[in-house]
Amino acid sequence: MRFRHPDGSTVHLAYCTNVHPAETLDGVLAQLRDHCEPVRRRLGRDRLGIGLWLAKDAAHALVTDPAALRGLRCELERRGLEVVTLNGFPYQGFGTGEVKYRVYTPDWADPERLEHTAALARVLAGLLPDDVTDGSISTLPLAWRTAYDEQRAQTAHTALRTLAERLDALQELTGRSIRVALEPEPGCVVETTRDAIAPLTAIGHDRVGICVDTCHLATSFEDPHTALDDLTRAGVPVVKSQLSAALHAEQPHLPEVREALASFAEPRFLHQTRTSTAAGLRGTDDLDEALTGDDTLPDAAPWRAHFHVPLHAAPTAPLTSTLPVLRSVLTRLVGGPHPLTHHLEVETYTWQALPPGLRPRGRTQLADGIAAELTLARDLLTDLGLKELP
């Protein structure tokens, strides 16, 4: 979906396909047929943007076979779909029964991460619509915190500089400008937007910026205005933003609230949980640890958990979502005289990890839910003065 900003520039809205992951190119093509095109039809649009997730094997197939890449591009066009952004965070196995910490490997100190992301950039340059020259790829924020030291930090920074040089060469070759965005996430080396400033300044290349994920920002209790002001002052580009909402518990000390939270503790994904105290941010690596761990998370103030809940359907009381944070971030990103970013991506990948009573039953309900999320995002954008384009 495309929108015209009052300054005349185009803002792209997509939804991320990691919600129905596939490891192979055949699986990606099936996604387009079984999920993406049905969502477009529900929205009544001739064109729908998707933030494509390509696992290692799918990316390799596309970058080594020009005919396969042309075939994917033709299939996108045939189904009324377009790609300007990729989710390059998960490397593989995002649809397995237990993802948890595995999603953070390989990290930016491992050569595989550089090669995979460079391959994604070449693929994206070949998928961009004819009238679009700028693409974006979100990636993990350097590494999970426990696997990182100064030597690995230097290796990671060098890898990102090398990637930036390759992206410069790619633009010279293709005329397409691809940028990469570190996505701050709780528990990682770069947990907050403020954490991103030092390493991005050290890397020192405008090809490498930040992806503002509104669930992650809210989980870490960041103030949206302060966060974006800090990025602007530091000259860190917001390459893309993922529109998502975290799980919020206003009174975590109450038994009924803890019972409700426990229904969201599940075995597939990591749900880092945070609370803001007078001594600073406190947290656990997962929601079940917050509820039952020996080092109990303080419960005198609200808790937020890294669980991407559907934008249009907040959990029932006594829980809610951080949709107000998303609204504030979006107002700052695209509500001013010029957009701070032109790439927006709805990223609710946890539909099948929701408590059983909230999960979609089958493709039809999932497509309905994704379309409802995109409708909400569209309405937020038009309320900010952007005009939806055909």
Side-chain angles (χ1 to χ4, degrees):
M1 301 169 76
R2 298 187 186 191
F3 297 81
R4 181 73 67 207
H5 189 273
D7 75 348
S9 64
T10 300
V11 173
H12 294 266
L13 173 66
Y15 93 88
C16 186
T17 63
N18 63 355
V19 61
H20 19 251
E23 298 293 315
T24 66
L25 179 54
D26 285 344
V28 171
L29 295 172
Q31 286 178 352
L32 306 184
R33 178 193 67 227
D34 297 338
H35 299 288
C36 303
E37 185 177 9
V39 170
R40 178 184 65 77
R41 293 186 181 279
R42 277 164 173 74
L43 292 167
R45 309 303 299 163
D46 293 332
R47 174 173 53 191
L48 174 67
I50 57 171
L52 203 57
W53 175 63
L54 297 172
K56 175 192 69 170
D57 290 344
H60 179 75
L62 290 165
V63 82
T64 57
D65 184 352
L69 184 57
R70 288 194 299 270
L72 176 57
R73 183 184 174 96
C74 289
E75 190 70 1
L76 288 165
E77 293 173 355
R78 186 167 77 88
R79 299 193 181 279
L81 307 169
E82 67 177 11
V83 175
V84 303
T85 189
L86 300 180
N87 186 332
F89 196 135
Y91 181 67
Q92 61 184 356
F94 201 61
T96 59
E98 182 179 336
V99 178
K100 298 290 184 181
Y101 294 95
R102 296 177 186 174
V103 76
Y104 305 108
T105 57
D107 64 33
W108 273 102
D110 296 321
E112 294 91 341
R113 178 60 65 172
L114 169 60
E115 296 309 316
H116 176 61
T117 311
L120 291 178
R122 295 197 296 275
V123 169
L124 181 55
L127 294 180
L128 287 177
D130 290 339
D131 62 343
V132 175
T133 58
D134 295 334
S136 61
I137 302 171
S138 49
T139 188
L140 81 162
L142 299 180
W144 184 255
R145 67 183 188 280
T146 57
Y148 211 63
D149 56 25
E150 185 57 35
Q151 182 177 355
R152 290 182 69 81
Q154 292 178 7
T155 302
H157 292 182
T158 299
L160 282 161
R161 291 190 194 100
T162 299
L163 176 66
E165 293 169 0
R166 293 187 186 181
L167 296 179
D168 284 341
L170 184 65
Q171 183 172 11
E172 290 183 12
L173 180 66
T174 66
R176 305 299 178 89
S177 174
I178 309 298
R179 294 190 296 166
V180 173
L182 301 186
E183 180 186 332
E185 177 165 315
C188 292
V189 173
V190 175
E191 172 157 342
T192 65
T193 53
R194 182 167 294 177
D195 293 338
I197 291 174
L200 287 174
T201 301
I203 293 163
H205 202 296
D206 61 7
R207 293 276 183 199
V208 186
I210 194 170
C211 170
V212 176
D213 183 300
T214 58
C215 168
H216 302 173
L217 183 142
T219 300
S220 295
F221 287 88
E222 291 192 76
D223 175 73
H225 300 287
T226 301
L228 292 170
D229 285 346
D230 288 346
L231 293 174
T232 300
R233 278 194 296 268
V236 172
V238 181
V239 172
K240 68 183 280 189
S241 178
Q242 289 175 327
L243 307 183
S244 52
L247 190 63
H248 180 94
E250 186 68 21
Q251 297 178 298
H253 64 284
L254 297 177
E256 60 268 29
V257 175
R258 299 177 82 88
E259 182 179 356
L261 284 169
S263 69
F264 284 84
E266 54 83 37
R268 178 177 294 182
F269 300 113
L270 209 58
H271 301 297
Q272 302 92 315
T273 304
R274 299 289 185 266
T275 187
S276 183
T277 73
L281 202 64
R282 291 281 303 277
T284 60
D285 282 355
D286 216 341
L287 180 55
D288 57 356
E289 296 175 21
L291 293 167
T292 62
D294 294 333
D295 185 17
T296 304
L297 194 64
D299 59 9
W303 286 5
R304 288 177 179 172
H306 172 220
F307 195 119
H308 291 222
V309 296
L311 303 186
H312 69 292
T316 55
L319 303 178
T320 186
S321 81
T322 59
L323 184 61
V325 176
L326 184 159
R327 293 177 186 270
S328 295
V329 172
L330 196 59
T331 299
R332 284 296 306 274
L333 287 176
V334 301
H338 303 287
L340 298 183
T341 185
H342 291 87
H343 291 180
L344 306 173
E345 178 184 62
V346 171
E347 197 215 14
T348 305
Y349 59 84
T350 45
W351 283 94
Q352 299 303 335
L354 290 166
L358 301 178
R359 293 175 194 168
R361 293 186 295 276
R363 293 176 186 170
T364 298
Q365 287 191 0
L366 177 58
D368 288 343
I370 293 170
E373 288 193 293
L374 285 166
T375 297
L376 182 146
R378 178 192 65 194
D379 292 345
L380 291 177
L381 291 172
T382 56
D383 287 347
L384 291 171
L386 282 74
K387 180 181 179 182
E388 188 177 4
L389 299 174

